[in-house]
Amino acid sequence: MNRVNIACVGAGYWGKNLVRVFHHLPEVHLSQVCDADPQIRATIQQQYPEIATGADYDLLLADESIDAVVIAVPAVHHYALARKALKKGKHVYIEKPMTLNSTDAEHLVELAEEHDRVLMVGHLLEYHPAVQMLRRLIESGDLGDLYYLYAQRVNLGIVRKDENALWSLAPHDISVILHLLGQMPDAVSARGECYLQPGIEDVVFANLHFADGKMAQLQLSWLDPHRIRRLTVVGSRKMVVFDDVESTEKVRIYDKSAERPEYDSYGDSISLRFGDVVIPRLEMAEPLKLECQHFAECVRKGQTPISDGRDGLRVVQVLEAAQVSLRQNGAPVQIG
Ligand SMILES: NC(=O)c1ccc[n+]([C@@H]2O[C@H](COP(=O)([O-])OP(=O)(O)OC[C@H]3O[C@@H](n4cnc5c(N)ncnc54)[C@H](O)[C@@H]3O)[C@@H](O)[C@H]2O)c1
């Protein structure tokens, strides 16, 4: 395959970024954009006269020259659109969250396998150079034993009507946490409150517990005075902070720890170590560009993406458990 012929479905707030990036990739021919909204179509037509626009998804899928479909419509439509595309033999990139329940996610994974198609989910942060650096730091043992992590994703931001802050914001952090730890939590609990719209949580605090004692905490809100996009990882030898709001110094490694002598069981013998703070040089590239390049490469070479359908399914399983816990006032919900 030379260039991958791609069609984007949904060119709203996020989809327009995918259109921009795919349009500029030399290995991709972005030939069509499908959007239900005539105004969005007119804007795309004006910006990219060479791209065909339309509103008929079935017509798009009937076009045999299209290799892959990029789906960036509201999550409630993900399953139906992805299912149709896979059944028509198209490779599929689908925005996060992959689906709104794990049964649908499992079905998409099965369909992709059955039709031997690439299925990739837009877990953008898995392609972020800072997250890749974090993973290397964890895998190399540089941080020592990993104790716990916490992610904060808050601001005064887009208030969604058809999903709560958990489903809208947490997929990013959950995907990173599962990517870094390489395991699923055994239990999830979550508490949240609906202040702006009935039944839609604006603020959610979720806790993921892992069988080996690791723990991850998520703070999610679109109703907050601060704009924070931060992940803190605490290990037995070092601690790391990834701050995505920082323009250049995104990762800080704190050579700090609390050390316990191996054969001493007395609490007062724990010593605190305060070492240097290192800001490593990060080879930055736009994560969205890296993600889109990865999709094109997987389609061209028939490879399995980092954020494949199974990864999407795992994130949906965690979200689903957290949602059950939300409705049960934070009661822990077992996974698996
Ligand atoms: N990766 C990220 O960082 C990120 C950020 C924001 C949103 N998203 C995801 O992107 C997706 C879209 O979110 P958004 O904020 O762009 O929403 P949006 O409402 O701004 O845009 C959705 C677009 O899809 C179009 N659309 C809806 N149903 C359609 C259909 N059946 N056929 C054709 N067009 C249709 C709408 O007309 C609209 O233009 C969601 O899954 C969201 O979770 C991802």
Side-chain angles (χ1 to χ4, degrees):
M1 182 187 290
N2 292 327
R3 290 202 298 169
V4 185
N5 190 357
I6 285 182
C8 283
V9 188
Y13 167 74
W14 190 248
K16 66 178 183 317
N17 295 322
L18 289 160
V19 170
R20 168 180 58 81
V21 173
F22 276 119
H23 177 66
H24 286 108
L25 288 185
E27 62 270 41
V28 165
H29 172 48
L30 174 55
S31 59
Q32 292 192 41
V33 170
C34 172
D35 197 293
D37 184 336
Q39 263 188 331
I40 299 264
R41 294 201 300 274
T43 308
I44 294 289
Q45 196 67 86
Q46 200 182 14
Q47 261 184 297
Y48 309 97
E50 63 278 33
I51 299 178
T53 57
D56 191 334
Y57 185 59
D58 290 329
L59 196 63
L60 181 157
L61 292 183
D63 182 341
E64 288 186 359
S65 72
I66 301 228
D67 304 305
V69 173
V70 170
I71 299 171
V73 300
V76 64
H77 304 301
H78 285 180
Y79 172 67
L81 267 58
R83 180 170 156 261
K84 267 190 174 181
L86 288 168
K87 283 190 159 185
K88 282 282 185 182
K90 311 293 184 197
H91 301 282
V92 170
Y93 168 102
I94 186 168
E95 258 313 323
K96 57 82 207 165
M98 179 178 173
T99 57
L100 294 181
N101 64 69
S102 53
T103 310
D104 288 353
E106 270 166 26
H107 191 212
L108 292 185
V109 170
E110 280 164 17
L111 271 180
E113 281 171 3
E114 198 180 302
H115 292 266
D116 195 18
R117 297 291 89 174
V118 171
L119 173 60
M120 174 164 152
V121 184
H123 293 160
L124 180 64
L125 288 183
E126 291 186 42
Y127 302 91
H128 198 301
V131 171
Q132 289 165 354
M133 176 178 276
L134 270 177
R135 192 168 148 139
R136 285 195 299 274
L137 282 168
I138 292 169
E139 282 176 355
S140 68
D142 217 25
L143 308 184
D145 293 333
L146 203 143
Y147 287 152
Y148 75 98
L149 312 83
Y150 62 95
Q152 295 159 291
R153 187 168 297 278
V154 304
N155 66 328
L156 193 60
I158 300 171
V159 177
R160 303 266 175 188
K161 291 191 179 73
D162 46 12
E163 61 190 2
N164 61 17
L166 173 77
W167 286 83
S168 178
L169 304 173
H172 290 302
D173 301 303
I174 295 171
S175 67
V176 168
I177 288 164
L178 303 188
H179 185 64
L180 293 180
L181 300 188
Q183 59 176 316
M184 278 289 275
D186 59 356
V188 178
S189 52
R191 298 215 56 153
E193 288 295 342
C194 315
Y195 297 109
L196 304 177
Q197 304 169 90
I200 299 177
E201 285 79 5
D202 310 291
V203 184
V204 174
F205 292 84
N207 186 280
L208 278 52
H209 183 270
F210 295 83
D212 59 2
K214 292 187 179 72
M215 182 174 71
Q217 178 76 25
L218 278 69
Q219 181 185 353
L220 311 151
S221 173
W222 52 51
L223 189 58
D224 195 285
H226 308 287
R227 180 174 151 72
I228 308 177
R229 300 274 182 273
R230 194 184 296 146
L231 176 69
T232 303
V233 182
V234 176
S236 60
R237 287 181 49 213
K238 289 182 185 170
M239 306 173 186
V240 187
V241 176
F242 161 35
D243 188 345
D244 208 9
V245 173
E246 282 281 343
S247 53
T248 52
E249 300 174 356
K250 287 182 182 284
V251 176
R252 278 166 201 258
I253 305 171
Y254 294 80
D255 190 11
K256 291 184 175 185
S257 63
E259 287 179 353
R260 207 176 41 182
E262 225 160 281
Y263 302 107
D264 195 334
S265 60
Y266 294 105
D268 59 4
S269 63
I270 289 174
S271 61
L272 303 182
R273 205 174 51 76
F274 296 88
D276 293 337
V277 181
V278 175
I279 303 172
R281 205 176 72 82
L282 197 61
E283 208 63 65
M284 257 322 276
E286 187 187 5
L288 186 60
K289 187 176 172 193
L290 296 173
E291 183 185 52
C292 294
Q293 276 173 331
H294 183 67
F295 178 63
E297 193 181 346
C298 287
V299 169
R300 289 171 76 188
K301 298 187 177 163
Q303 290 171 351
T304 304
I306 296 170
S307 55
D308 65 350
R310 290 189 183 278
D311 189 34
L313 166 64
R314 286 190 290 271
V315 170
V316 171
Q317 285 170 329
V318 175
L319 287 166
E320 207 170 43
Q323 183 66 35
V324 172
S325 177
L326 265 183
R327 294 289 167 260
Q328 296 174 0
N329 293 318
V333 172
Q334 306 296 320
I335 294 187

